[in-house]
Amino acid sequence: MTETFDIAIVGAGITGCAIARQLARYDLSICVVEAANDIALGASKANGGLVHAGYDPAPGTVKAQVNARGCELYGTWSRELGFLFCRTGSMVLGFNDEDRAHLEKLRQNGLANGVPELSIVGPDRIHELEPRASADATCALWCPSTGFVDPFEVAIDALENAVANGVTFMRSASVEAIEVTDSGEDARFTLATPAGNVRCRYLINTAGNGAADISHMAGAEEFHMVWRQGNIVVLDKEPRTLMPLYPVPTPVSKGVIVTGTVHGNTVITATAAVREPGDTQTYARANTQTYASDVNALLSGARKLVPDLDTRRVVRAFAGGRPVIQGTNDFFIGQSAVVPGLFQAAGIQSPGVASAPAIAERMELVMREAGVELHERADWNPIRRAPDDFDRAPLARKEELIESDPAWGQIVCRCETVPEAEIVAAIRRQPGAVSVEGVKRRCRAGMGRCQSGFCQSRVVTILARELGCDPSEVLLEDAGSWLVEGPLKGVR
Ligand SMILES: Cc1cc2nc3c(=O)[nH]c(=O)nc-3n(C[C@H](O)[C@H](O)[C@H](O)COP(=O)(O)OP(=O)(O)OC[C@H]3O[C@@H](n4cnc5c(N)ncnc54)[C@H](O)[C@@H]3O)c2cc1C
């Protein structure tokens, strides 16, 4: 089976989903082709979720341009797509004169990159802004525009909005070969995937750690990826959300950062070590192993910034790989110089989350300049109606929901207060969840303190019922990750 589109986007991470949403406003047929069985299973599911403000990248780089602009766009994107975004501001803490000199350099970088309202503050202001910041900090770079999001929520919501505007999503469709014809035909590219072939006039490569393979398959730029792996730990919810606190950065990383999350947890993110990819089944899978040495480095780094942090409250440790192009620390966003019609957003390492809306905007500009005709559709709708979040809903809305369907009163995940009806809605959304982890990313069932110890078997049962399969066929995540071998207790 072969389907033909104007544009195929390879990779449904935050970059591909943001670009799909940006281009969905135009009169074009678009398909997002993803190797995994769901959205955001690559670097986009394993990161700190920080919307860095943009004072870090060297002025003049592509990163510098899209980071500050991406941070600015997050306000609009969160309103239109209905995801949570907290713009709390952040501080980079300094502990001596050498650090202060570095903070001043960061401030200058930030000013050059267009980051608003940066200032160096002293101990009194530090403690006014974040009372839990270390009392040993003598100075800090205060940046009011920093924020944080749930990164997979952004990717999922952007693609939902794109799909509502006519974009097609192809799951479990790893691009294994690309044929390029020079005949000037309408569909120059043919992508071979196990889910069928896709023909398109324009190809956009947003394949994260697989971007070099896609470029190679199309006969375009040869670049090599370096897997800069990072470990992250998540702590249980705190009564008050912490503002992001950064140390003075190193040449390759922003260092160990402590931050609150949109759901009230605390996250310590991230180590940075060049490691070989792990035992990969799909291109999404960089080495996602966690290392004791990294976790220890995170905990001790975090205590330096927030001495009263109770690091016994860790509920989860995980890892992801930043897609870095060997030989450069910058993003590559542009048309291939070798294969016209192939557009690449490659090397989208950190700050790829913070930059995503601006990468999408830039990709649109690059395509327009390359002569791609973009005519706005009259019926394009930028607004996504966010599904009900029971835990956050006011009491009156909770009562209304339970009145409408008693399944809203059946709490499945007790840690995050997620009822059965919300899980069903997560499976029925377009594109909906097809695995236990897919449910978790959409409505947080299993995301809490017990990490699904109580609710996993019930989520499996609901998934089996909704997908019309046997519980033994339900997946934890991607292909091959079955959970159930025998009958479930209490389920016929
Ligand atoms: C530990 C860590 C912490 C980070 N913290 C932050 C942070 O706080 N803030 C921030 O801004 N950034 C952060 N980042 C960076 C951020 O996560 C990435 O920049 C971003 O997620 C990259 O998104 P992407 O869509 O380009 O790539 P991915 O999310 O990796 O998506 C690529 C997609 O392409 C698919 N694919 C690959 N090959 C193929 C193929 N052949 N066929 C079909 N599909 C294919 C993959 O399955 C995958 O879904 C962090 C990264 C890491 C690892």
Side-chain angles (χ1 to χ4, degrees):
M1 186 194 72
T2 302
E3 284 196 79
T4 304
F5 298 87
D6 292 319
I7 298 178
I9 300 172
V10 180
I14 197 165
T15 308
C17 295
I19 292 174
R21 192 235 174 188
Q22 184 77 20
L23 297 179
R25 75 185 66 196
Y26 298 110
D27 198 10
L28 294 162
S29 58
I30 303 172
C31 180
V32 177
V33 185
E34 170 53 52
N37 68 353
D38 203 358
I39 304 159
L41 290 199
S44 300
K45 84 162 179 185
N47 61 71
L50 280 156
V51 179
H52 305 294
Y55 50 75
D56 208 35
T61 57
V62 178
K63 256 189 191 181
Q65 291 157 22
V66 289
N67 185 172
R69 174 70 180 147
C71 180
E72 184 187 335
L73 285 172
Y74 259 101
T76 315
W77 275 54
S78 76
R79 276 192 302 280
E80 291 180 345
L81 295 176
F83 60 78
L84 296 169
F85 169 50
C86 299
R87 204 186 283 281
T88 53
S90 66
M91 285 188 286
V92 185
L93 300 184
F95 296 86
N96 50 44
D97 288 349
E98 202 184 322
D99 286 351
R100 178 181 278 274
H102 207 116
L103 296 183
E104 184 50 41
K105 190 168 168 284
L106 278 182
R107 195 178 76 85
Q108 295 300 336
N109 258 4
L111 293 176
N113 294 346
V115 179
E117 300 176 76
L118 289 168
S119 58
I120 309 271
V121 295
D124 291 348
R125 182 76 175 128
I126 292 173
H127 292 102
E128 206 175 276
L129 289 164
E130 180 45 74
R132 293 181 67 192
S134 170
D136 293 337
T138 53
C139 50
L141 177 68
W142 161 233
C143 176
S145 55
T146 307
F148 42 84
V149 289
D150 197 331
F152 31 83
E153 212 169 276
V154 178
I156 290 169
D157 297 356
L159 194 58
E160 270 187 24
N161 182 235
V163 167
N165 283 296
V167 169
T168 300
F169 177 46
M170 249 173 108
R171 310 168 189 253
S172 305
S174 176
V175 174
E176 290 169 351
I178 301 175
E179 196 188 318
V180 188
T181 49
D182 277 333
S183 58
E185 280 180 60
D186 271 359
R188 293 194 64 225
F189 300 93
T190 306
L191 317 181
T193 91
N197 288 357
V198 173
R199 298 183 74 204
C200 58
R201 284 173 74 186
Y202 305 109
L203 179 60
I204 304 180
N205 176 8
T206 57
N209 282 310
D213 299 281
I214 297 296
S215 191
H216 176 76
M217 284 181 218
E221 283 80 1
E222 287 291 339
F223 47 83
H224 298 279
M225 307 303 296
V226 182
W227 280 264
R228 197 184 289 153
Q229 209 242 21
N231 284 216
I232 295 179
V233 298
V234 183
L235 275 63
D236 204 357
K237 293 187 180 183
E238 302 264 4
R240 203 187 123 264
T241 304
L242 262 170
M243 163 189 296
L245 296 175
Y246 297 63
V248 168
T250 71
V252 292
S253 131
K254 294 175 192 67
V256 172
I257 306 161
V258 184
T259 177
T261 73
V262 290
H263 301 289
N265 296 80
T266 298
V267 158
I268 309 175
T269 175
T271 46
V274 174
R275 293 193 169 111
E276 284 303 305
D279 182 13
T280 64
Q281 280 199 326
T282 73
Y283 288 103
R285 303 300 163 85
N287 179 345
T288 53
Q289 204 173 309
T290 52
Y291 294 82
S293 54
D294 283 42
V295 172
N296 287 334
L298 288 170
L299 300 183
S300 57
R303 282 190 213 107
K304 196 171 170 214
L305 301 171
V306 185
D308 75 354
L309 199 67
D310 185 353
T311 46
R312 292 167 305 176
R313 288 164 61 83
V314 171
V315 295
R316 183 97 183 182
F318 58 89
R322 302 169 181 87
V324 178
I325 297 176
Q326 196 172 48
T328 171
N329 209 24
D330 206 359
F331 295 162
F332 178 83
I333 306 170
Q335 182 172 209
S336 162
V338 187
V339 180
L342 169 65
F343 297 88
Q344 320 231 43
I348 309 299
Q349 43 160 302
S350 187
V353 170
S355 310
I359 293 175
E361 200 180 61
R362 192 178 176 103
M363 183 56 83
E364 179 194 324
L365 182 70
V366 166
M367 294 181 82
R368 200 184 281 283
E369 285 175 356
V372 180
E373 285 183 26
L374 301 173
H375 302 292
E376 195 156 317
R377 290 172 30 190
D379 59 350
W380 177 66
N381 183 2
I383 309 297
R384 166 186 168 274
R385 193 183 159 274
D388 277 292
D389 176 340
F390 188 79
D391 194 28
R392 287 176 176 266
L395 189 59
R397 179 65 184 152
K398 283 191 170 86
E399 284 171 356
E400 217 174 86
L401 286 167
I402 296 169
E403 190 71 28
S404 72
D405 178 356
W408 280 102
Q410 297 290 335
I411 302 301
V412 175
C413 170
R414 303 181 211 174
C415 303
E416 299 291 319
T417 324
V418 185
E420 179 169 343
E422 202 174 329
I423 294 171
V424 170
I427 300 166
R428 292 184 187 169
R429 276 158 69 171
Q430 289 300 328
V434 293
S435 67
V436 171
E437 295 284 306
V439 166
K440 175 165 123 180
R441 279 190 293 277
R442 283 171 180 80
C443 67
R444 296 187 58 75
M447 195 73 90
R449 182 174 305 140
C450 87
Q451 288 288 297
S452 82
F454 276 106
C455 64
Q456 192 177 80
S457 61
R458 290 197 59 198
V459 174
V460 168
T461 310
I462 297 166
L463 268 163
R465 191 187 69 212
E466 286 296 313
L467 301 177
C469 65
D470 190 77
S472 63
E473 294 171 79
V474 171
L475 298 169
L476 174 67
E477 182 71 286
D478 210 348
S481 60
W482 304 282
L483 283 157
V484 179
E485 278 208 343
L488 283 179
K489 203 173 155 191
V491 181
R492 283 172 221 278

